[in-house]
Amino acid sequence: MLIPVKDTVRGKSRLDLPPLVRSQLALAMAADTATAASQVARVVVVVESAADAAALSSIPNVLAYRTPVSGLNESILDWLRRFGTDEPTAVLPGDLPDLEPADLRRALGRCTQHEFAVVADRQGVGTTLLAASTAAALRPHYGPDSFAQHQLAGAVPVPWPSSGLRRDVDVLEDLARVRGPRTAALLGRLRDHDGPAEVSAAAGP
């Protein structure tokens, strides 16, 4: 299981927050995502910075690979070129703080019915799970309208009910009612210590 993580210092740029808070949230969400996924399969976080590698590799059953490139597609392809195998390979974004292991396990089971499969985010525009029967069959096309782009690249869309697997975080409103332990704890600390008003308004009481 690959989880590409953009350098958290510049990640989640659409969250209108102070840079330090945004970076902390990006790392907390990546940690929640990796922790949940690690209960289903071995996880490799593909990271750009040494600090992110150190933080995320401390999670049990999570390995860190520091890529020399930037960008989600480039990072994934770099890992695939170096370590890809003939075994099934899947990719998750690092911003699924409410991901549940049982839900991910079921979704992966559905995806194995296809050589190349994709699950959409809750808006039906982005991609939250990309899975292939082998590394060679995995063709990442993250970016604008990635769900449609992955289908154009041959991925079969796998319908999935609303769940943490589909609830990625792109804007402040997406933080409402987040349950991921690290992310929720950070949001709570920010509220308790008079953090940015934008956080309190988005995340609720």
Side-chain angles (χ1 to χ4, degrees):
M1 176 74 65
L2 300 181
I3 301 179
V5 178
K6 183 186 294 185
D7 188 340
T8 55
V9 170
R10 59 183 177 81
K12 308 312 299 178
S13 58
R14 291 173 61 189
L15 296 180
D16 188 16
L17 293 169
L20 178 58
V21 174
R22 190 173 64 241
S23 175
Q24 291 173 335
L25 276 170
L27 184 58
M29 289 189 290
D32 280 334
T33 305
T35 298
S38 71
Q39 297 177 49
V40 177
R42 188 187 73 164
V43 169
V44 176
V45 287
V46 184
V47 299
E48 298 177 14
S49 77
D52 290 343
L56 296 172
S57 63
S58 66
I59 300 169
N61 206 31
V62 174
L63 304 176
Y65 166 66
R66 189 176 176 190
T67 179
V69 302
S70 61
L72 294 183
N73 297 315
E74 294 80 4
S75 296
I76 295 165
L77 290 172
D78 174 52
W79 189 91
L80 292 175
R81 281 192 295 266
R82 294 170 183 264
F83 307 108
T85 70
D86 291 334
E87 298 178 355
T89 304
V91 178
L92 288 171
D95 60 353
L96 298 175
D98 289 340
L99 182 67
E100 294 285 346
D103 191 42
L104 175 60
R105 188 177 290 108
R106 288 192 296 269
L108 288 170
R110 286 282 301 279
C111 289
T112 58
Q113 300 173 24
H114 310 283
E115 181 184 38
F116 187 31
V118 62
V119 174
D121 64 9
R122 65 190 179 284
Q123 290 89 5
V125 177
T127 297
T128 57
L129 176 61
L130 194 65
S133 57
T134 66
L138 190 73
R139 297 179 290 279
H141 285 75
Y142 289 94
D145 300 318
S146 66
F147 183 54
Q149 294 302 314
H150 282 128
Q151 290 179 78
L152 289 174
V156 175
V158 174
W160 202 250
S162 179
S163 71
L165 175 61
R166 299 185 63 192
R167 290 196 296 270
D168 55 350
V169 174
D170 291 321
V171 294
L172 282 173
E173 289 75 13
D174 295 334
L175 291 171
R177 297 177 295 280
V178 163
R179 299 186 303 275
R182 290 176 175 83
T183 309
L186 174 59
L187 291 171
R189 290 195 298 273
L190 290 170
R191 288 193 298 267
D192 293 343
H193 292 86
D194 297 321
E198 298 90 343
V199 169
S200 295

